[in-house]
């Protein structure tokens, strides 16, 4: 499996976890659904800007799109733990930012 296929499978996994259709995610990314389909099928690859947007949408890091199935056990627990840690850290950063703005 090549890097584009690994990325595509993980992108599809994240999309389905969030219960988004290809059309919904494509709209959020400001791309056409066909382009998203080609990325998910490993036929195209993302730009750095598109990867940044995906990380924001899924509250994750770029690295999480590059794990293979062998690197995680196949269940969603690793994704859930990663998401949980990221959500906690983002919440802390949001609180700190609000405090700085109010000073």
């Amino acid at each position: 499996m090549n890097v584009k296929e690994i990325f595509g499978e993980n992108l599809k996994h994240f999309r389905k976890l969030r219960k988004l259709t290809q059309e919904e995610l494509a709209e959020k990314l400001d791309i056409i659904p066909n382009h998203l389909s080609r990325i998910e099928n490993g036929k195209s690859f993302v730009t750095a800007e598109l990867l940044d947007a995906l990380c924001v949408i899924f509250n994750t890091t770029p690295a999480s799109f590059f794990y293979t199935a062998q690197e995680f056990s196949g269940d969603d627990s690793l994704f859930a733990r990663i998401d949980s840690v990221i959500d906690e850290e983002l919440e802390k950063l949001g609180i700190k930012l609000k405090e700085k703005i109010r000073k």
Side-chain angles (χ1 to χ4, degrees), residues 6 9-10 67-74:
I6 292 166
E9 285 191 16
N10 288 326
Y67 290 108
T68 63
Q70 294 83 15
E71 290 172 316
F72 24 70
S73 61

Side-chain angles (χ1 to χ4, degrees), residues 55-56 59-60 85-95:
C55 290
V56 169
N59 291 325
T60 193
V85 169
I86 291 169
D87 288 343
E88 288 173 16
E89 293 302 315
L90 285 172
E91 187 174 331
K92 289 177 191 175
L93 287 172
I95 291 169

Side-chain angles (χ1 to χ4, degrees), residues 2 6 9 11 16-17 20-21 23 25 31-32 35 40-41 44 49 60 77 80 87 95:
N2 68 42
I6 292 166
E9 285 191 16
L11 174 56
K16 289 184 176 186
L17 277 177
L20 292 170
T21 65
E23 292 78 15
L25 181 55
I31 62 174
I32 61 172
H35 183 60
E40 286 188 355
N41 290 315
S44 293
E49 292 80 13
T60 193
S77 63
D87 288 343
I95 291 169

